[in-house]
Amino acid sequence: LDENTIQLLSLYNQGIELYYQQKWDEAAAAFRKSAQYEIEIHGRKTNPSLIRIERCQELKLNPPGPDWDKVWELVDK
């Protein structure tokens, strides 16, 4: 793997660990860092880090509780 990919994976994995621990602000910060290493397609907001940042914001406002199974349920198409 090239250095860019290694950095991306390291930061994203840090974000995932924090996300699973429900540390929303810290997870979002890690995902903001990992987003810098993702290939960005103009006008497309589907990069994994950007999606996780949005989820952190939503989950911070609506905490899932201690029994959370770490599954994100879609409510809109």
Side-chain angles (χ1 to χ4, degrees):
L1 298 175
D2 61 63
E3 189 60 35
N4 186 71
T5 303
I6 292 168
Q7 282 290 74
L8 168 61
L9 292 172
S10 176
L11 291 165
Y12 189 84
N13 285 332
Q14 287 174 24
I16 288 292
E17 289 299 319
L18 293 163
Y19 180 87
Y20 288 161
Q21 295 171 32
Q22 299 188 35
K23 296 181 180 179
W24 312 123
D25 291 332
E26 295 171 55
F31 292 131
R32 278 191 286 281
K33 290 178 185 175
S34 67
Q36 296 173 15
Y37 294 93
E38 290 179 351
I39 297 171
E40 191 169 329
I41 299 173
H42 184 68
R44 182 174 159 198
K45 296 182 180 182
T46 57
N47 287 9
S49 296
L50 299 179
I51 290 170
R52 293 287 182 169
I53 292 167
E54 289 177 11
R55 290 180 182 176
C56 286
Q57 293 166 345
E58 177 66 28
L59 290 166
K60 183 178 177 180
L61 294 174
N62 302 293
D67 295 335
W68 182 44
D69 61 6
K70 300 169 182 63
V71 173
W72 180 262
E73 295 183 28
L74 295 176
V75 292
D76 295 328
K77 268 191 169 184

